[in-house]
Amino acid sequence: MNCEQIKDWMPHYLEGLLSPERERIISHHIDSCPACVESLEQAREMAALWSEMEGEIGIQVDLDIPDLTGAVMAEIELIEAERKQRVSAPIPTTSRRRYTPRTSWMHYSVAACLTFLLFQFGVFEGLAYQITEINGHMSNSVTALFGPDSSTHK
């Protein structure tokens, strides 16, 4: 195993979730590789910090904090029920389309296909040159109208 593979397996190694064979291979590699020893130490430090944080969170859970989960979920269900009722209600329209969201994906598909075809046929090949040329003409026109010699045009 190389160092990258060892680093991938490092969390499982620390938690003791590996098979004895894989754990032996990783231990052998760590014993012979100073970079992996350092990575193992960093991983152990991170695990210690993580367990400290979990302990602090456990302390906070014991505090008298109101549980808002039920109220929030009830509100979400109410909003979802209202949305479903609006969607299922017939929408009076004068057009042929009865349900707009179903056809909206077609517009995006047609736009994507047309853009692809335009790129394939080279419509945009000279676009950068054409824009530069137009900017040059505009710049010359503005200079002619408002440049230092513009007093003769008034």
Side-chain angles (χ1 to χ4, degrees):
M1 292 184 120
N2 62 24
C3 292
E4 287 301 315
Q5 292 171 329
I6 297 295
K7 288 177 184 175
D8 288 342
W9 287 101
M10 193 78 65
H12 304 292
Y13 176 77
L14 288 174
E15 293 176 13
L17 301 175
L18 299 176
S19 66
E21 176 64 23
R22 187 168 304 262
E23 190 170 325
R24 185 187 59 74
I25 292 170
I26 291 175
S27 295
H28 179 70
H29 178 87
I30 289 173
D31 291 340
S32 63
C33 179
C36 288
V37 169
E38 185 177 331
S39 295
L40 179 64
E41 290 172 9
Q42 290 175 353
R44 283 185 177 148
E45 290 173 8
M46 292 298 290
L49 286 173
W50 187 259
S51 56
E52 266 183 46
M53 289 175 58
E54 285 179 342
E56 291 174 6
I57 291 172
I59 292 170
Q60 290 178 356
V61 171
D62 295 339
L63 299 175
D64 190 24
I65 299 173
D67 184 23
L68 301 175
T69 307
V72 170
M73 292 306 292
E75 186 68 25
I76 290 172
E77 288 173 7
L78 179 66
I79 291 170
E80 183 65 18
E82 289 174 359
R83 185 194 64 79
K84 284 181 180 178
Q85 188 177 20
R86 279 194 316 266
V87 169
S88 66
I91 302 170
T93 60
T94 56
S95 69
R96 290 185 195 176
R97 290 182 290 164
R98 291 177 35 179
Y99 188 63
T100 307
R102 286 186 184 168
T103 59
S104 65
W105 67 270
M106 284 193 276
H107 297 107
Y108 294 116
S109 300
V110 169
C113 289
L114 288 175
T115 304
F116 177 75
L117 286 174
L118 290 173
F119 275 114
Q120 286 296 329
F121 289 118
V123 172
F124 300 118
E125 281 182 9
L127 187 62
Y129 174 75
Q130 293 166 356
I131 290 174
T132 305
E133 190 175 338
I134 290 170
N135 283 339
H137 290 302
M138 293 293 290
S139 176
N140 292 339
S141 301
V142 169
T143 304
L145 289 174
F146 302 107
D149 300 335
S150 63
S151 59
T152 58
H153 293 289
K154 288 184 180 180

